[in-house]
């Protein structure tokens, strides 16, 4: 059982210990499974389905009853707060389920820092959520409006809106992970996140 | 790092209290290199707490300890680079296969060509006899298969120290035998520190033993020393016939410290405690057989079973604790 000459020791130290392997696993949960395309389709119907209906299907069925693009544009942006709830649902069990099942304890018995354990989840989930929920759906929406208008929509306000939305989602991803690290139940994670969202809505 | 130290694990006054309840009291544990160290104790004695402290999964309330000379609080990540650990109730990702589980754990330690990594994984699967089930999701594994996987994942990084928490618990006799065989095979590569309350297993494979009771270390010694039970030499005999005269003669011998007799179904059982083993070997049986009214059906030097020693120690320490509580 001699050490294989062709294998090299991993040299991650301090807070980075275990990061590469954990990041590979967390990314794999999104991109090596059907999760990424299932989520892409689900979020297409939630965010862009109504736009497709209003921009293309209704005008095709009844040409006299097509709403103005500006109105549909407004409807499109009113749909986006729902992504925050989507993030809460997607993230609620990320840490808690590992604590409940005991896999977190198994992971921590390896050369892994607590920071790596949480940060790998944060990086992989943020990356996937921003690509699937924001990037892809934003691009589909932009393409639909530009095709309908037969000209490219102004890019700058669009990017600004999605920039702010991305920051908002990143905050809730981080919050869900933090609450998951503190509490043992999913109820606390989703309850506190939702409470904050409602408070934010009422305060604004 | 104190790699030259003869102790792989060394703790001083290591203690842990959970919400006012003391789980571990001033533990001074020394585990020698390349030993199979049995860590015994009744349920709730503090064995798992000790293991978690050694791995840095929980922090001590007081005291300190080192593993490979590295502090268990400050250097726990580096310590875990040299350890393989099997938890009492291990959980793995159920969507992974056995092979994927081993690959995932191996990657915490190694990188390099895929073929080399797979070679390592295949070798480990073979070691625990899981080659045939390597590509099945572990969701459907039996308790025994999960335990084998547990040992495989603990071993895949070729650790210098294997910590196994109840490795043979919940296994049928075949599974237990297999686990002990794997431990025997690994003996020459690593120090094995394992907790258990299956004393037969300890007696089969361990060379050093520590006994914990109510969070306190009550005994720590090489197994042979523990089984010698404080150098007390006892000869055990079964006799038939009239034993009264022989008993009186034996009781008065200068090297006989104690004679206990019991009778059952016409057979007398004697436990003769002697202070001079040489004299006992030479004369005890001869003196008894000098009496023509009796017959000796069994004569042997008593060998202690670990279970007997364990119960004596645990019960004595339990009485001490009760006495201490009353005195206190």
């Amino acid at each position: 059982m001699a050490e294989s000459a062709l294998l090299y020791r991993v040299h991650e130290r301090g807070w980075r210990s275990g990061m590469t392997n954990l990041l590979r696993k967390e990314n794999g949960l999104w991109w090596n499974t059907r999760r990424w395309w299932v989520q892409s389709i689900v979020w297409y119907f939630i965010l862009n389905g109504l736009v497709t209906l209003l921009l293309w299907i209704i005008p095709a069925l009844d040409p006299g009853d097509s709403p103005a693009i500006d109105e549909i544009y407004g409807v499109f942006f009113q749909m986006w707060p729902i992504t925050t709830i989507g993030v809460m649902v997607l993230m609620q069990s990320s840490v808690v389920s590992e604590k409940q099942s005991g896999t977190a304890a198994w992971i921590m018995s390896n050369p892994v820092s607590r920071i790596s354990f949480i940060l790998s989840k944060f990086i992989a989930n943020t990356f996937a959520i921003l690509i699937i929920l924001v990037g892809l759906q934003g691009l589909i929406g932009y393409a639909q409006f530009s095709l309908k208008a037969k000209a490219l929509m102004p890019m700058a306000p669009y990017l600004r809106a999605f920039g702010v939305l991305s920051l908002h989602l990143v905050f809730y991803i981080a919050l869900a992970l933090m609450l998951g690290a503190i509490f043992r139940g999913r109820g606390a994670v989703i309850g506190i996140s939702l409470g904050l969202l409602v408070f934010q809505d009422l305060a604004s | 790092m104190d790699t030259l130290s003869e102790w792989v694990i060394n703790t001083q006054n290591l203690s842990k209290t959970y919400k006012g309840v003391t789980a571990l009291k001033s533990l001074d544990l020394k585990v020698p290199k390349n030993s199979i160290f049995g860590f015994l104790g009744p349920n709730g004695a503090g064995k798992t707490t000790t293991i978690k402290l050694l791995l840095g999964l929980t922090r001590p309330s007081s005291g300190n300890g080192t593993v490979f000379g590295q502090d268990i609080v400050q250097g726990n990540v580096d310590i875990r680079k040299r350890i393989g650990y099997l938890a009492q109730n291990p959980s793995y990702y159920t969507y992974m296969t056995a092979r994927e589980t081993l690959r995932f754990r191996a990657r915490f330690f190694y990188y390099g060509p895929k073929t080399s990594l797979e070679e390592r994984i295949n070798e480990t699967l073979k070691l625990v006899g899981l080659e045939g089930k390597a590509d099945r999701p572990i969701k459907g594994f039996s308790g025994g298969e999960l335990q084998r996987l547990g040992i495989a994942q603990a071993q895949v990084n070729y650790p210098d120290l294997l910590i196994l928490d109840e490795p043979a618990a919940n296994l049928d006799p075949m599974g237990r035998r297999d686990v002990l065989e794997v431990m025997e095979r690994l003996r020459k590569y690593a120090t094995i520190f394992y907790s258990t309350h299956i004393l037969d297993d300890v007696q089969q494979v361990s060379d050093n033993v520590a006994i914990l009771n109510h969070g306190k270390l009550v005994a720590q010694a090489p197994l042979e020393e523990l089984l010698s039970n404080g150098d007390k030499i006892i000869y055990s005999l079964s006799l038939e016939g009239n034993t009264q005269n022989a008993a009186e003669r034996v009781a008065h011998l200068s090297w006989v410290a104690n004679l206990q007799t019991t009778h059952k179904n016409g057979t007398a059982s004697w436990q003769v405690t002697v202070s001079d083993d040489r004299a006992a070997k030479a004369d005890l049986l001869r003196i008894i057989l000098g009496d023509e009214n009796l017959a000796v059906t069994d004569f042997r030097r008593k060998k202690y079973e670990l279970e007997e020693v364990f119960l004596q120690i645990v019960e004595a320490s339990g009485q001490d604790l009760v006495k201490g509580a009353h005195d206190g």
Side-chain angles (χ1 to χ4, degrees):
Chain A
M1 223 178 281
E3 295 250 341
S4 170
L6 291 168
L7 289 176
Y8 306 99
R9 285 258 169 202
V10 169
H11 283 297
E12 288 173 326
R13 294 197 163 272
W15 65 267
R16 288 183 61 248
S17 296
M19 179 67 108
T20 308
N21 197 26
L22 287 172
L23 207 47
R24 185 188 293 121
K25 188 209 78 167
E26 292 295 335
N27 278 323
L29 286 176
W30 276 101
W31 307 107
N32 296 343
T33 63
R34 59 183 186 173
R35 190 181 186 194
W36 71 270
W37 61 260
V38 169
Q39 288 295 328
S40 298
I41 292 170
V42 167
W43 285 102
Y44 165 76
F45 280 108
I46 293 173
L47 298 172
N48 276 296
L50 194 60
V51 175
T52 305
L53 189 76
L54 295 172
L55 279 180
W56 307 102
I57 298 172
I58 290 178
L61 295 173
D62 184 1
D65 190 26
S66 52
I69 285 191
D70 285 354
E71 282 176 43
I72 304 171
Y73 203 62
V75 170
F76 179 57
F77 275 97
Q78 277 171 18
M79 297 299 292
W80 284 87
I82 209 166
T83 52
T84 314
I85 294 169
V87 162
M88 288 174 201
V89 173
L90 285 170
M91 297 302 298
Q92 50 143 351
S93 62
S94 185
V95 176
V96 172
S97 66
E98 294 226 33
K99 280 161 74 174
Q100 287 175 341
S101 70
T103 50
W106 177 53
I107 294 293
M108 293 314 299
S109 70
N110 290 296
V112 168
S113 72
R114 285 173 165 81
I115 293 175
S116 278
F117 181 64
I118 298 293
L119 198 56
S120 62
K121 288 182 182 293
F122 177 73
I123 293 170
N125 284 293
T126 300
F127 184 69
I129 285 170
L130 291 188
I131 285 182
I132 293 169
L133 265 73
V134 182
L136 181 65
Q137 302 309 326
L139 202 65
I140 292 171
Y142 184 80
Q144 290 200 85
F145 286 114
S146 297
L147 280 171
K148 190 70 183 177
K150 295 190 174 73
L152 289 176
M153 302 289 286
M155 186 63 100
Y158 203 81
L159 286 179
R160 268 200 300 274
F162 279 101
V164 172
L165 177 80
S166 298
L167 277 178
H168 187 76
L169 294 183
V170 169
F171 169 77
Y172 277 93
I173 293 169
L175 180 71
L177 288 174
M178 185 193 81
L179 293 171
I182 296 169
F183 296 103
R184 296 194 72 85
R186 291 163 204 227
V189 177
I190 205 153
I192 294 172
S193 303
L194 208 56
L196 187 68
L197 185 67
V198 171
F199 174 76
Q200 198 182 15
D201 197 40
L202 292 173
S204 62
Chain B
M1 192 167 63
D2 183 14
T3 49
L4 297 175
S5 166
E6 62 178 308
W7 308 118
V8 172
I9 297 171
N10 190 355
T11 69
Q12 292 91 33
N13 294 318
L14 194 64
S15 303
K16 179 70 184 175
T17 306
Y18 292 107
K19 293 175 185 169
V21 178
T22 305
L24 196 65
K25 274 180 226 161
S26 301
L27 179 70
D28 292 322
L29 189 69
K30 292 186 192 318
V31 176
K33 253 183 192 166
N34 294 107
S35 59
I36 297 190
F37 197 101
F39 194 43
L40 317 180
N43 289 335
K47 303 187 294 289
T48 299
T49 300
T50 305
I51 287 173
K52 284 185 175 172
L53 286 165
L54 295 174
L55 288 164
L57 299 179
T58 183
R59 283 168 180 263
S61 305
S62 62
N64 55 67
T66 59
V67 177
F68 304 119
Q70 290 200 307
D71 185 78
I72 56 173
V73 177
Q74 302 299 323
N76 63 66
V77 175
D78 286 335
I79 287 170
R80 292 199 294 266
K81 286 180 179 170
R82 298 177 63 187
I83 283 182
Y85 169 56
L86 169 65
Q88 190 171 0
N89 296 305
S91 292
Y92 310 108
Y93 295 110
T94 49
Y95 59 83
M96 287 186 184
T97 63
R99 190 186 300 282
E100 285 166 347
T101 303
L102 296 187
R103 191 181 295 138
F104 174 57
R105 184 163 191 277
R107 280 176 170 161
F108 282 120
F109 302 89
Y110 297 104
Y111 68 96
K114 203 178 167 188
T115 48
S116 302
L117 199 67
E118 293 308 312
E119 203 178 294
R120 167 78 61 95
I121 290 162
N122 286 332
E123 184 188 307
T124 311
L125 285 164
K126 197 174 166 193
L127 177 83
V128 296
L130 275 180
E131 311 101 299
K133 288 163 183 168
D135 297 307
R136 266 178 37 189
I138 59 174
K139 201 185 284 181
F141 273 26
S142 68
E145 287 164 350
L146 273 177
Q147 206 71 353
R148 283 159 191 252
L149 175 65
I151 292 180
Q153 62 81 32
Q155 170 59 24
V156 75
N157 60 318
Y158 294 171
D160 296 320
L161 170 64
L162 258 174
I163 296 182
L164 312 173
D165 196 356
E166 301 280 2
N170 309 320
L171 291 182
D172 57 25
M174 302 273 281
R176 264 175 59 198
R177 187 200 60 195
D178 291 349
V179 166
L180 295 183
E181 271 176 21
V182 171
M183 282 166 72
E184 279 283 11
R185 257 180 273 164
L186 296 176
R187 181 197 283 264
K188 54 184 168 213
Y189 305 108
T191 303
I192 301 175
F193 179 80
Y194 75 109
S195 78
T196 185
H197 49 240
I198 304 173
L199 302 173
D200 281 352
D201 295 353
V202 178
Q203 205 162 341
Q204 274 186 54
V205 297
S206 302
D207 42 38
N208 281 270
V209 168
I211 299 175
L212 205 61
N213 192 28
H214 296 294
K216 252 188 115 154
L217 187 71
V218 290
Q220 179 175 205
L223 184 67
E224 283 301 315
E225 195 179 301
L226 207 66
L227 291 179
S228 71
N229 202 12
D231 295 329
K232 210 191 249 186
I233 303 161
I234 296 179
Y235 281 84
S236 181
L237 296 96
S238 296
L239 309 103
E240 284 173 7
N242 185 352
T243 59
Q244 199 175 347
N245 292 337
E248 274 173 25
R249 240 189 345 267
V250 167
H252 286 96
L253 291 168
S254 61
W255 38 268
V256 171
N258 187 29
L259 170 65
Q260 282 187 331
T261 62
T262 52
H263 293 265
K264 198 176 175 188
N265 300 330
T267 301
S269 297
W270 289 8
Q271 302 277 310
V272 187
T273 308
V274 301
S275 55
D276 184 344
D277 192 32
R278 190 178 296 204
K281 265 185 204 158
D283 298 330
L284 182 60
L285 188 58
R286 195 170 295 129
I287 291 167
I288 295 167
L289 287 172
D291 190 334
E292 291 175 353
N293 296 321
L294 57 79
V296 177
T297 56
D298 189 33
F299 176 83
R300 69 180 71 188
R301 184 178 158 161
K302 183 171 175 173
K303 276 183 90 176
Y304 281 92
E305 291 298 315
L306 185 58
E307 187 170 340
E308 205 175 347
V309 177
F310 174 81
L311 288 173
Q312 274 176 21
I313 291 172
V314 167
E315 280 166 11
S317 73
Q319 281 163 9
D320 287 348
L321 284 170
V322 171
K323 190 167 173 283
H326 285 303
D327 292 349

